Amino acid sequence: MRWSMKILAAAAAMCVGAGLAQAQYSDGAIKIGVMNDQSGLYSDLSGQGSVWAARKAITDFCKTTTCHDKIEVVFADHQNKPDIGSNVVRQWFDVDKVDVVVDVPTSSVALAVNNITKEKNKVFLVSGAASSDLTGKACTPNTVHWTYDTWALANGTGNAIVKTGGDSWFFLTADYAFGHALERDTAAVVEKSGGKVLGKVRHPFPGQDFSSFLLQAQQSKAKIIGLANAGSDTTNAIKQAAEFGIVQGGQNLAGLLVFITDVHALGLKTAQGLVLTEAWYWDTNDANRAFAKEFAAANRGNHPTMIQAGVYSAVTHYLRAVHDLKSDADGAAVVAKMKAMPTDDKLFGKGSIRADGRKVHPVYLFEVKSPAESKGPWDYYKVRATIPAEEAFRPLADGGCPLVK
Amino acid sequence: MFELLGVSPQALFGQLLLGLINGAFYALLSLGLAVIFGLMNVINFTHGAQYMMGAFASWMLLNYLGVPYWGALVLAPILVALTGVVIERLFISRLYHLDHLYGLLLTFGLALVTEGLFRREYGISGLPYANPLPGGINLGFMFLPWYRAWVVAISLVVCFGTWFMIEKTQLGSYLRAATERPDLVQAFGINVPRMITLTYGFGVGLAALAGVLAAPIYSVNPVMGANLIIVVFAVVVIGGMGSIMGSIVTGFGLGVIEGLTKVFYPEASNTVIFVIMAIVLMVRPQGLFGTPK
């Protein structure tokens, strides 16, 4: 009799133990969902490269730490449409038990995912999207904005240009959340440094022919034409500006968001001299170069963008937090843990996450090399300035994030 | 100086001219579609992909074989037209006895496959292609790049050449007759299937030519055609399905209207054509130049 009681008690204890083990990792697995543009104009700067970076982060993490035996990566194409992105993410959270959504370029989609993640208490690690609203009025306890944002771009490129005499601006803006945010943040920087905004034109996204908008910019007589767009919109605009003799006419272009893949697409002959702001470049240290080499081998020779590097860095930090907590069930708790731990990984080095969800690290002002300066393919940037972490992003108090008291 | 809603006349002239230049692309592309639809009754959704192939063909000719732009202008359309001929013989020719919808589905599928293959090989960001005619002329109200002037010129020549060939020559009369009564034309000893194959090849060649013209000014990327093809279909519908002159005039006309929209209300510039299409379909369902069937 005594025996059977003991067995019963042991069995009960085991059941409780099993129950606890289940509560640790929801559904028994850590499931990472990489959602981005897999087929359209942002697919080279995020796309499969970001999926590769997420997988690489898991492999590297499990090399140095005893990691959970079931960590999975799934991915989806949001086609830059908020409705498609929302559907995918709801399906991921409700049916597929995805714990964290990563990347999500295209701010309009990211803002939609931001709301759903909060509603379902999961985690959202933004690398691709730029709108600074994600850590401003739209901030949530479930979102971390990792790589860069429109404020940092405006602060880097905008400031540098106004300081070198570019004090009157005309904006060519992509007509959606990202373009509006970038235009707003840059205009603020320009006006704060004593410059003037003479006008703006909002073009449909994605666009193809920019000649008409460039002509309007030309007639504004502004010294600087600020391109508040991205991807092939930016490369097309730069290409056509060269054709229409904008630069010979005495005006200069400011690419407010230019990725290394855009420079590659333009060719150095067209892109040389462009000043741009990025948070990461492959050729700044040995760890980055080694990462880029492996990345290129797996991605048709392309080199990683800051967005893809940011995915690696964000997933690494997420895994550390989740393994520390031994649970991925409560999204807000995971993000709180991520904010409490200092960040440290091989690509972005040491950094931290603020109360509003903003990850801070240094940001660089680069200049595109001339064909003569470049030693080979993908050798495109030289550093003009390093903006320290504490100055690179919008001051905590200015964003209007309700989480900051 | 008069001003119209705050826009100076210089700006207006400039925008009109730019609209005409964009219209040149619409006209060339919709012409190819109109030829294919008018003479074969096939709705060729592969057209955008074939335009993209034209641009890629000129990039490949330059980078793999060293053929410059002017050579590509002739070679690329021929090469892409040959792929069109193969597609017509292998696939499309088997669908003539079925409803239009089957041809539409087939060509749409082919377009997706082609774009996917190019995307896999070359990525999405685009490839650089140098402008063969740099520089331009200052017209007073705007700076006109030589290259854009060249695009308008060649487009006008090709469009009216095609119209002349189809409407005014003996070959054209055979083609038109073969559309109406293929059996009767065949009875006169004319090889109708071959004529139809060549017609498709010609239409595809026009798309590829537009692609070669686009390479130096737009980004050469796998989805460049997908963005344009919907607009071009709207142009064809407005002009009247299958009407050669209709597609040319509407192509240029809508380019101008779109250009003006970019000045007065830029946010609507990519929807204005569809608004016009809706109005035309309500008032004149057969299109501006079409004949009711």
Side-chain angles (χ1 to χ4, degrees), chain A residues 39-41 43-44 299-300 302, chain B residues 56 115-127 219-223:
Chain A
S39 52
L41 79 170
S43 60
D44 275 357
N299 292 283
R300 290 183 287 110
N302 280 347
Chain B
F56 267 93
E115 281 168 8
L117 287 174
F118 274 88
R119 187 163 58 221
R120 186 167 166 68
E121 199 52 38
Y122 294 99
I124 199 81
S125 297
L127 304 165
S219 156
V220 180
N221 72 55
V223 292

Side-chain angles (χ1 to χ4, degrees), chain A residues 134-285:
Chain A
L134 287 162
T135 53
K137 58 178 195 266
C139 76
T140 84
N142 299 71
T143 297
V144 177
H145 199 177
W146 203 271
T147 312
Y148 71 111
D149 64 25
T150 48
W151 196 95
L153 297 171
N155 180 51
T157 313
N159 244 336
I161 289 174
V162 178
K163 268 184 199 151
T164 49
D167 55 3
S168 59
W169 287 59
F170 186 94
F171 287 103
L172 224 122
T173 307
D175 193 14
Y176 73 107
F178 151 72
H180 296 181
L182 187 51
E183 180 200 291
R184 176 197 67 206
D185 290 348
T186 313
V189 168
V190 169
E191 277 159 4
K192 199 177 151 204
S193 343
K196 262 195 318 223
V197 176
L198 299 182
K200 63 181 179 206
V201 59
R202 292 188 165 160
H203 69 77
F205 162 78
Q208 164 106 318
D209 188 72
F210 293 89
S211 50
S212 167
F213 306 124
L214 287 166
L215 201 67
Q216 294 177 42
Q218 206 167 26
Q219 275 147 359
S220 76
K221 306 270 193 297
K223 285 186 196 162
I224 303 292
I225 301 173
L227 304 176
N229 49 21
S232 61
D233 282 347
T234 309
T235 53
N236 264 332
I238 293 175
K239 216 172 162 177
Q240 289 163 20
E243 197 198 342
F244 278 86
I246 298 271
V247 179
Q248 290 97 303
Q251 289 175 302
N252 275 304
L253 292 176
L256 296 169
L257 178 51
V258 180
F259 293 97
I260 190 160
T261 42
D262 301 328
V263 174
H264 189 68
L266 282 168
L268 288 183
K269 204 166 160 261
T270 315
Q272 59 181 314
L274 267 182
V275 174
L276 52 96
T277 303
E278 289 221 61
W280 189 87
Y281 174 51
W282 69 273
D283 198 13
T284 47
N285 61 47

